[in-house]
Amino acid sequence: MTLTRTASLSLLILALVAASITSATAAQARTTTQRATAAIFKDCAHDGRLNHHYRAKALAAAVRTIPADIDQYTNCHAAISAQRALYVGTRGGRTTTALLHDCHTHGTLRHRYSATQLRRALRHAGGCDDVIVSQLRGRTERVR
């Protein structure tokens, strides 16, 4: 009888230790994302651009939690969305990623892309939609 009592007490202690480790890990992950989000806001608020690359998870958290004053008085929402689009663009293929990188880095398209590539990239534009639309309009006007 003492053995089962000891075994159940050991299981209880093991469960408590596992629960505390799990909650500590979750809290650490949450603070890591919060620190990354704060770094994103600091980087962006400085000049309205992101000068460093951040993880997709941190960028998604930054878009969800952008403070009202930063959103209203800076270009941070567009800059964060633009960097996020680079991650999303990888789903469209290498050309889409290259096109979005070209647009976000230079503010214009320095290379020539097909209309199909432009339309595909437009789905993931994230701040470059006006550049891509103007390229598409230029192509359709020349054809007419």
Side-chain angles (χ1 to χ4, degrees):
M1 190 147 164
T2 320
L3 187 59
T4 54
R5 190 178 218 177
T6 306
S8 65
L9 185 60
S10 295
L11 284 174
L12 179 63
I13 291 171
L14 184 63
L16 289 173
V17 169
S20 66
I21 289 172
T22 304
S23 65
T25 305
Q28 183 180 8
R30 189 170 37 251
T31 57
T32 302
T33 304
Q34 288 172 345
R35 274 186 265 141
T37 303
I40 289 170
F41 293 144
K42 182 178 178 183
D43 182 14
C44 186
H46 176 68
D47 61 357
R49 298 177 64 192
L50 291 176
N51 300 313
H52 303 284
H53 292 281
Y54 299 95
R55 292 178 172 225
K57 185 176 181 179
L59 293 167
V63 167
R64 283 192 313 270
T65 61
I66 190 164
D69 58 336
I70 290 178
D71 192 24
Q72 185 175 3
Y73 297 112
T74 66
N75 193 29
C76 287
H77 194 279
I80 295 168
S81 297
Q83 195 172 108
R84 253 184 107 197
L86 293 176
Y87 289 110
V88 174
T90 58
R91 294 185 191 149
R94 283 183 288 200
T95 306
T96 303
T97 303
L99 189 150
L100 292 171
H101 187 303
D102 190 17
C103 181
H104 293 302
T105 304
H106 306 293
T108 185
L109 295 177
R110 290 182 156 188
H111 303 283
R112 183 160 173 80
Y113 300 97
S114 71
T116 303
Q117 292 167 337
L118 290 168
R119 282 189 208 95
R120 188 176 299 138
L122 191 57
R123 291 185 219 138
H124 307 290
C128 272
D129 49 351
D130 53 339
V131 173
I132 296 170
V133 167
S134 70
Q135 284 285 321
L136 281 168
R137 282 189 184 141
R139 303 264 171 95
T140 56
E141 288 173 4
R142 280 187 225 136
V143 172
R144 291 179 186 174

